[in-house]
C-alpha cells in the first residue's frame, strides 16, 4: 500500500515538473517570436518622439505600425507661405508650398500700401502717398505705426519682430558712389535718424539690393555684388573688401541685377544668382578667408527666395530639402518653381525664369501661424 502511494506521488511530481517545463518552453517560444514591432504603443511613442527628423524617417520604414507612430510624433518645421499683394481689392492670397494649397484673407488695413520686408510673421509696409511706415501682422491683425518717412529707391529691413525689445529698422541708399545715407528707427520712436557714411569702396543701392540681419549686423548686397555691413549698436558702416561672386558672363545679360537673392542660415550669408538661360549658382561667404565660395549642396536646408525678403528652413519634408523655392507658382497655382541641388535641375522642368518680368512688390515669403484655422 505504501509502495503504491509512493508510486502515485512520483507520477504526480513528474507531471508537475513536465507541465512547468512546458510553460517555460511556451514562454520562451513567445519571447523568441516577439520583435521590435511588438513594443507597447506608449513606449514606442516615447522612443520615436525623441528622434531627430532624419532618424524618425528611417525608423518609419521598419514596419507599418512604426510608420504610423513615427508620422504621428514627427516634428517637421513649417515652411514659409507666399503672400500675394493684389492689384485691386483687399483679398490677399497665401500659398502653402507643402500642401500646395491657397488660403485667402480680407485685409483692408493694407489698402494703398506696398510691402518692404517680412520677418517673424510681421510685414513692414509703406504708403507712398502719405509716407506712412507701419508694421502689420496679417494673422493677428496687429498694427504698429512708425514715424513718417519718405522712401524712394532705398531698401529697408528690420532685425526682429516689432514686439521684441531689440527691434531696429534699417534703410540705406547711396548719395554718391562713395557716400551712403543710412536711416534707422525703432518701434516707439518719434522720428528716424539719418547719417551719411563714407565708403572705402563704391556702393550703389536700389530696390534690387538684398538685405539681411545676421549675428547683430545688417548685411546689404549692392547692385554690383559688393557687401556693406552696418552695426546698429556701434553705428558703424563699412564695405567689405570681398570681391563680388564670380559668375559666367551670360549671368550679366538682360536684367542681370534683378535675379539675385540673399538670406542667412545659422550665421552664414548666402546669395543666389540666377540667369534665365542657366541653372542658379549659390554662394556662401567665407568670413575667415573673406571670399565667396560656391555651394554644391545645402546639406538638407531649404531656401525660399523672393525679391525683398528670403528665408531658410531645416527639417522640412524630404522632397523639399536641399532645394531653392522661388516666388513664382506655375500650373494654375499648384506648384512653386524650385531648383533641386540633388538632381541639379528645376522643378517643373525647363522653368528658368526671367525675373525682370516680375514686379518686386507682387509677393513675398512670410512665416505662417501654427494654426491658420484659428
Amino acid at each position: 500500500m505504501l509502495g503504491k502511494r509512493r508510486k502515485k506521488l512520483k507520477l504526480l511530481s513528474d507531471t508537475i515538473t513536465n507541465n512547468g517545463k512546458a510553460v517555460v518552453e511556451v514562454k520562451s517560444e513567445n519571447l523568441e517570436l516577439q520583435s521590435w514591432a511588438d513594443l507597447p504603443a506608449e513606449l514606442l511613442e516615447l522612443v520615436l518622439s525623441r528622434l531627430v527628423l532624419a532618424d524618425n524617417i528611417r525608423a518609419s520604414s521598419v514596419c507599418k505600425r512604426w510608420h504610423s507612430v513615427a508620422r504621428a510624433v514627427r516634428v517637421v518645421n513649417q515652411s514659409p507661405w507666399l503672400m500675394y499683394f493684389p492689384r485691386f481689392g483687399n483679398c490677399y492670397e497665401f500659398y502653402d508650398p507643402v500642401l500646395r494649397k491657397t488660403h485667402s484673407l480680407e485685409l483692408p488695413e493694407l489698402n494703398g500700401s506696398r510691402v518692404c520686408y517680412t520677418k517673424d510673421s510681421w510685414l513692414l509696409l509703406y504708403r507712398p502717398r502719405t509716407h506712412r511706415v507701419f508694421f502689420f501682422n496679417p494673422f493677428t491683425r496687429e498694427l504698429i505705426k512708425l514715424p513718417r518717412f519718405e522712401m524712394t529707391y532705398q531698401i529697408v529691413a528690420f532685425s526682429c519682430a516689432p514686439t521684441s525689445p531689440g527691434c531696429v529698422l534699417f534703410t540705406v541708399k547711396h548719395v554718391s558712389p562713395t557716400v551712403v545715407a543710412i536711416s534707422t528707427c525703432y518701434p516707439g520712436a518719434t522720428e528716424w535718424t539719418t547719417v551719411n557714411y563714407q565708403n572705402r569702396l563704391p556702393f550703389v543701392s536700389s530696390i534690387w539690393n538684398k538685405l539681411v540681419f545676421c549675428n547683430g549686423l545688417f548685411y546689404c548686397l549692392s547692385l554690383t555684388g559688393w557687401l556693406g555691413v552696418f552695426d546698429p549698436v556701434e553705428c558703424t558702416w563699412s564695405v567689405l573688401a570681398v570681391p563680388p561672386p564670380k559668375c559666367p558672363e551670360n549671368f550679366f545679360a538682360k536684367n542681370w541685377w534683378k535675379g539675385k537673392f540673399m538670406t542667412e542660415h545659422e550665421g552664414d550669408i548666402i546669395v543666389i544668382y540666377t540667369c534665365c538661360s542657366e541653372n542658379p549658382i549659390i554662394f556662401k561667404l567665407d568670413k575667415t578667408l573673406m571670399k565667396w565660395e560656391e555651394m554644391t549642396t545645402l546639406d538638407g536646408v531649404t531656401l525660399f527666395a523672393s525679391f525683398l525678403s528670403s528665408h531658410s528652413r531645416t527639417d522640412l519634408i524630404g522632397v523639399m530639402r536641399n532645394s531653392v523655392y522661388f516666388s513664382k507658382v506655375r500650373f494654375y497655382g499648384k506648384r512653386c518653381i524650385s531648383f533641386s541641388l540633388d538632381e541639379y535641375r528645376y522643378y517643373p522642368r525647363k522653368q528658368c525664369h526671367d525675373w525682370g518680368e516680375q514686379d518686386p512688390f507682387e509677393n513675398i515669403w512670410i512665416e505662417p501661424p501654427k494654426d491658420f484655422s484659428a
Side-chain angles (χ1 to χ4, degrees):
M1 192 71 178
L2 185 60
K4 288 182 178 181
R5 284 183 178 178
R6 287 178 177 174
K7 190 174 183 180
K8 287 180 179 180
L9 288 171
K10 187 175 185 304
L11 289 171
L12 182 60
S13 175
D14 291 343
T15 301
I16 292 172
T17 302
N18 291 335
N19 287 341
K21 288 181 178 179
V23 171
V24 172
E25 288 176 0
V26 169
K27 287 183 177 180
S28 177
E29 185 178 351
N30 288 338
L31 288 173
E32 289 177 1
L33 292 174
Q34 285 184 334
S35 67
W36 286 102
D38 299 314
L39 279 175
E42 296 81 2
L43 181 59
L44 186 58
E45 288 180 2
L46 180 63
V47 172
L48 296 183
S49 66
R50 295 176 179 271
L51 300 180
V52 297
L53 179 62
D55 293 335
N56 178 290
I57 293 173
R58 294 188 189 98
S60 67
S61 63
V62 171
C63 63
K64 288 184 178 180
R65 182 165 172 268
W66 277 43
H67 179 78
S68 176
V69 176
R71 283 180 61 88
V73 301
R74 183 175 298 166
V75 178
V76 179
N77 204 349
Q78 199 166 16
S79 161
W81 288 359
L82 191 58
M83 179 180 181
Y84 281 89
F85 285 73
R87 293 185 179 181
F88 306 100
N90 299 316
C91 184
Y92 294 76
E93 293 186 338
F94 298 81
Y95 174 76
D96 181 351
V98 176
L99 300 179
R100 298 183 184 178
K101 182 179 179 181
T102 300
H103 307 273
S104 298
L105 279 178
E106 288 285 337
L107 300 171
E109 300 94 330
L110 306 188
N111 187 30
S113 64
R114 76 182 188 202
V115 64
C116 298
Y117 198 74
T118 179
K119 192 181 183 74
D120 298 337
S121 298
W122 285 86
L123 296 166
L124 180 64
L125 299 120
Y126 175 65
R127 286 197 173 102
R129 289 185 179 180
T130 61
H131 301 164
R132 171 62 69 187
V133 185
F134 63 101
F135 286 108
F136 184 74
N137 188 318
F139 308 113
T140 64
R141 311 297 281 262
E142 294 176 84
L143 189 150
I144 300 175
K145 293 182 179 180
L146 294 162
R148 296 179 191 273
F149 184 74
E150 183 178 1
M151 292 189 189
T152 50
Y153 56 85
Q154 66 264 50
I155 55 169
V156 61
F158 56 97
S159 59
C160 57
T163 50
S164 301
C167 179
V168 179
L169 290 93
F170 164 81
T171 182
V172 58
K173 70 174 181 179
H174 73 275
V175 178
S176 70
T178 57
V179 178
V180 296
I182 291 178
S183 301
T184 56
C185 192
Y186 58 89
T190 57
E191 62 180 3
W192 289 72
T193 300
T194 301
V195 179
N196 287 353
Y197 291 86
Q198 293 282 340
N199 303 323
R200 289 191 305 107
L201 297 167
F203 189 91
V204 180
S205 62
S206 82
I207 62 168
W208 304 106
N209 286 39
K210 309 305 165 186
L211 184 58
V212 297
F213 183 76
C214 177
N215 293 332
L217 303 173
F218 286 99
Y219 290 84
C220 181
L221 195 71
S222 77
L223 275 178
T224 52
W226 293 93
L227 196 63
V229 183
F230 179 73
D231 186 332
V233 176
E234 301 295 332
C235 295
T236 57
W237 163 263
S238 63
V239 178
L240 300 183
V242 179
K246 294 182 179 180
C247 294
E249 288 185 5
N250 54 347
F251 271 69
F252 300 97
K254 179 184 176 183
N255 297 323
W256 63 269
W257 62 89
K258 298 180 181 179
K260 295 186 294 184
F261 307 90
M262 183 165 74
T263 186
E264 66 88 21
H265 179 70
E266 295 183 350
D268 287 325
I269 305 299
I270 299 172
V271 297
I272 306 162
Y273 275 60
T274 65
C275 174
C276 62
S277 60
E278 301 288 343
N279 288 329
I281 304 176
I282 304 173
F283 299 92
K284 180 176 72 173
L285 178 64
D286 187 325
K287 296 179 182 177
T288 303
L289 300 177
M290 295 301 284
K291 68 176 184 178
W292 293 101
E293 291 185 344
E294 185 175 344
M295 301 178 70
T296 57
T297 179
L298 295 173
D299 295 322
V301 175
T302 307
L303 303 181
F304 295 86
S306 59
F307 281 110
L308 302 174
S309 182
S310 299
H311 305 263
S312 65
R313 287 292 184 278
T314 56
D315 293 342
L316 293 180
I317 57 175
V319 294
M320 297 184 71
R321 288 178 290 178
N322 213 38
S323 299
V324 181
Y325 276 70
F326 294 97
S327 56
K328 194 70 178 178
V329 179
R330 295 295 199 196
F331 299 103
Y332 305 100
K334 294 298 182 183
R335 186 161 189 173
C336 258
I337 294 179
S338 64
F339 182 82
S340 169
L341 274 78
D342 289 330
E343 304 296 330
Y344 202 67
R345 75 173 182 89
Y346 276 97
Y347 284 90
R349 286 188 181 274
K350 298 180 180 179
Q351 289 297 317
C352 298
H353 185 63
D354 182 3
W355 296 106
E357 299 175 355
Q358 188 169 334
D359 181 357
F361 305 107
E362 176 184 341
N363 55 35
I364 196 168
W365 290 106
I366 185 172
E367 297 176 22
K370 292 183 179 180
D371 183 12
F372 185 76
S373 63

